[in-house]
Amino acid sequence: MPAVLVLVVAVLPLAVPWLKIVLTVALAKGLAVLGVVVLLRAGQVSFGHAMFFAASAYSAAFLMRGFAGADLVVLLLAGMICSGMMGAIIGLFVVRYRYIFFGMLNLAFSMVLYALLEKMFHITGGSDGMVVGRPTYLGLELARTSFETALFYTSLGLAGAACWFVHRFLRSPLGEALSAIRTNETRLEYLGISARWILLIAYVLSAVLAGLGGSIIAVNQGVVTPDLGYWIRSGEFVFIAILGGSGHVLGAFAGALVYELVRFYAAAMAADVWQMILGFVLLGIILFASRGIVGLYRDLAAITPRPRSYREPVR
């Protein structure tokens, strides 16, 4: 499935060029959702991860305002550093709590950031937001179409690298310790392992992933607004994680792609009732595929007859 999904996503913009904008948005959100998936491994749900998404997007906007013509690589690195530092500071408070308290504290911090972005009009532009100019790409000043293509394939490469890294992380001793926090945290503490530090490391990683997605969305849209950090955006990330299948890193991107494509086509074909169409589609997936898109794929693969050459030899 991973190879097929990457191939389809890589080829789609060649057949439908305008679709690369939608796919870039989906990949950016997928990176943020991947951060949510890391925390779900520990049984913790963050309802405020959009704050890292927004903070990174605004860092790109400020950099472009201060240093016109900054490079895309610089914006992405700055966004990751900004969100990572923010995640480390906020994480020191929130990792002390679990379950609903963990989720609500994240929501509270995200709403504080949203209020600051909304009210500090002279610095952030208020609800009008800030314009993000087109950065250079590895020192080259590209035309709009060429830059969008380069940004899409860069996002695809970063998504693949993030998938590989998170997959390895979740199977490392640190990742196994995250699972232990969900199943039996007390036993983990008896072994002399600090559950708070393990969760803090995962929290910072999830913030960096969300920040990477935020930088991409800022450059892709060319404008950032406080809505990027609103609680609805955080809920959207959690919803996509469940839609794709929270137990698999690929589910973050599968869910984001399905969500964005359904939303885009529903809005284009039925502008007045697209939210209802989106709701019915997502309701159907949740009711009939409780393990998400990845789980549905595995169920279908399990009942599909294999070719003769792959069957066990008849004795």
Side-chain angles (χ1 to χ4, degrees), residues 240-288:
I240 292 174
I242 297 171
L243 173 68
S246 58
H248 199 286
V249 295
L250 200 59
F253 294 97
L257 288 170
V258 170
Y259 181 85
E260 282 301 316
L261 289 175
V262 169
R263 191 174 75 159
F264 177 79
Y265 281 106
M269 295 178 182
D272 295 330
V273 292
W274 70 268
Q275 295 96 335
M276 186 175 68
I277 295 174
L278 179 64
F280 277 123
V281 171
L282 299 180
L283 196 60
I285 291 177
I286 290 174
L287 287 176
F288 300 105

Side-chain angles (χ1 to χ4, degrees), residues 30-147:
L31 285 166
V33 175
L34 193 58
V36 174
V37 169
V38 170
L39 295 178
L40 284 174
R41 179 59 64 99
Q44 308 304 316
V45 182
S46 170
F47 292 113
H49 247 49
M51 61 181 157
F52 304 117
F53 199 68
S56 177
Y58 271 88
S59 73
F62 282 117
L63 271 176
M64 287 304 296
R65 176 190 283 181
F67 305 95
D71 199 84
L72 176 65
V73 176
V74 175
L75 299 186
L76 296 180
L77 288 175
M80 293 168 67
I81 293 171
C82 174
S83 57
M85 291 176 64
M86 194 173 162
I89 295 170
I90 295 176
L92 288 173
F93 294 96
V94 299
V95 297
R96 300 180 179 187
Y97 302 89
R98 298 290 182 269
Y99 308 116
I100 189 63
F101 303 103
F102 179 87
M104 290 298 106
L105 267 176
N106 277 284
L107 175 61
F109 277 112
S110 75
M111 292 311 295
V112 169
L113 177 66
Y114 171 79
L116 289 174
L117 295 175
E118 181 83 13
K119 300 299 181 185
M120 299 174 71
F121 180 83
H122 298 291
I123 300 175
T124 63
S127 59
D128 295 334
M130 297 174 63
V131 174
V132 183
R134 188 187 312 145
T136 58
Y137 185 82
L138 300 178
L140 302 174
E141 292 186 5
L142 301 179
R144 179 181 174 182
T145 305
S146 301
F147 180 78

